Amino acid sequence: MTVLSREAPRLPVPPKPRRTRAQVIGWIVAAVVVAAHVVAWRATDMSLGALVEGWQGMADFLAEAIPPDLSSEVLGDGIAAAAVTLWIGLLGTTLSIPASLVLALLAARGTAPGRGTYQAARSLLSFLRAVPDVVFALIFVTAVGLGPFPGVLALVCHNVGVMGKLWAEALEDADPGPAQALRSAGAGRIQVAAHALLPTVTPQLVGLLMYRFDVNVRSSLVLGLVGAGGIGFLINQSIQLFQFDEMLTHILIVLVLVVAVDRLSALVRHHLGSST
């Protein structure tokens, strides 16, 4: 008896999955990012070999900087200069509040009088943010001379651009309910801003202000390197005179100052967050 062999039915071969548009775009973006890093690596003359070969210079530098000079004269000068750095950051933050608030109201869609004013305020804020505070400091140093004053002016100009934008975005993200209620009652833009928007976003505005104060204290250190006073000026002077032990002392003082300001800023922001 013969058994007829039957071939097993062939299952259809599933089609190859096609790459979606999002996957293609993802691969293109990844390739562009890798290519940009390759170009940047070559353009900036990155060389790990040069870093390894320069270990002797770094070792000599650390040997001359350690231990730091903790003499009373160096510590006294450093602490006094650190206080100046703190005051530069404080004034650069607080003196920028009026202009930042006005530009924020003009650059927020809900409070801007018109589209032209909105675009003009946004453009001014973009310009003030685009110019680094160091460039502002160099300009003001040539205008009013060396010292803390040009540092304060530089921080005010740059901080208005940054803080005005942050505050404008906070105003745009505010709860529209109270503002709409006042508008329906016939209130004007200034009344809506004063009695509805600003009270609603005050904790956010103060939190952003404290954050900018933290950043400005760090920035005032860099401004001192270009002649705007503060402990940055002493650090630059110590490097130029090859007094690296004094430089390390000033850096340690800066570390204590930055940590203290950071903790104060974080404490205030935490208090504001817990009270809302």
Side-chain angles (χ1 to χ4, degrees):
M1 183 176 181
T2 59
V3 180
L4 297 178
S5 61
R6 296 181 179 179
E7 294 183 357
R10 295 182 179 180
L11 298 177
V13 179
K16 294 183 179 180
R18 295 182 179 180
R19 292 179 179 177
T20 63
R21 184 178 180 182
Q23 289 176 331
V24 174
I25 294 176
W27 281 107
I28 293 175
V29 171
V32 170
V33 170
V34 172
H37 279 77
V38 172
V39 173
W41 185 277
R42 294 180 178 178
T44 54
D45 297 329
M46 293 289 292
S47 174
L48 296 179
L51 180 62
V52 174
E53 293 175 359
W55 71 270
Q56 186 62 48
M58 291 187 291
D60 294 340
F61 175 82
L62 293 176
E64 295 180 13
I66 300 174
D69 187 351
L70 299 179
S71 61
S72 58
E73 181 179 359
V74 174
L75 281 175
D77 293 342
I79 293 174
V84 173
T85 297
L86 178 62
W87 306 144
I88 293 174
L90 177 64
L91 292 178
T93 304
T94 56
L95 295 182
S96 63
I97 291 176
S100 299
L101 183 58
V102 172
L103 288 175
L105 292 171
L106 296 177
R109 289 186 177 88
T111 55
R115 185 171 181 80
T117 304
Y118 170 82
Q119 293 294 343
R122 284 279 176 171
S123 299
L124 180 57
L125 291 176
S126 298
F127 169 75
L128 294 175
R129 290 197 317 276
V131 180
D133 47 16
V134 175
V135 175
F136 278 125
L138 291 173
I139 295 173
F140 287 121
V141 162
T142 59
V144 301
L146 300 174
F149 184 41
V152 173
L153 296 177
L155 285 182
V156 168
C157 291
H158 185 72
N159 198 58
V160 166
V162 177
M163 203 157 61
K165 179 179 183 296
L166 295 175
W167 281 4
E169 293 177 349
L171 289 171
E172 290 181 350
D173 294 337
D175 182 10
Q180 291 176 355
L182 283 181
R183 289 192 188 97
S184 62
R189 293 181 180 274
I190 297 179
Q191 292 175 320
V192 171
H195 299 288
L197 289 178
L198 290 179
T200 303
V201 299
T202 295
Q204 290 88 339
L205 300 187
V206 177
L208 292 170
L209 179 67
M210 292 303 302
Y211 167 73
R212 287 303 304 172
F213 171 58
D214 185 10
V215 173
N216 286 335
V217 170
R218 302 167 193 260
S219 298
S220 61
L221 167 65
V222 180
L223 298 183
L225 300 177
V226 296
I231 197 168
F233 180 77
L234 292 184
I235 293 176
N236 187 32
Q237 187 179 51
S238 300
I239 294 175
Q240 292 179 347
L241 297 177
F242 300 101
Q243 297 174 340
F244 300 122
D245 53 347
E246 293 186 8
M247 177 209 68
L248 182 57
T249 301
H250 299 323
I251 290 177
L252 293 176
I253 294 175
V254 168
L255 177 62
V256 174
L257 173 65
V258 168
V259 170
V261 172
D262 180 68
R263 295 305 304 163
L264 174 63
S265 178
L267 181 64
V268 172
R269 292 198 299 269
H270 176 73
H271 177 72
L272 291 172
S274 60
S275 62
T276 55

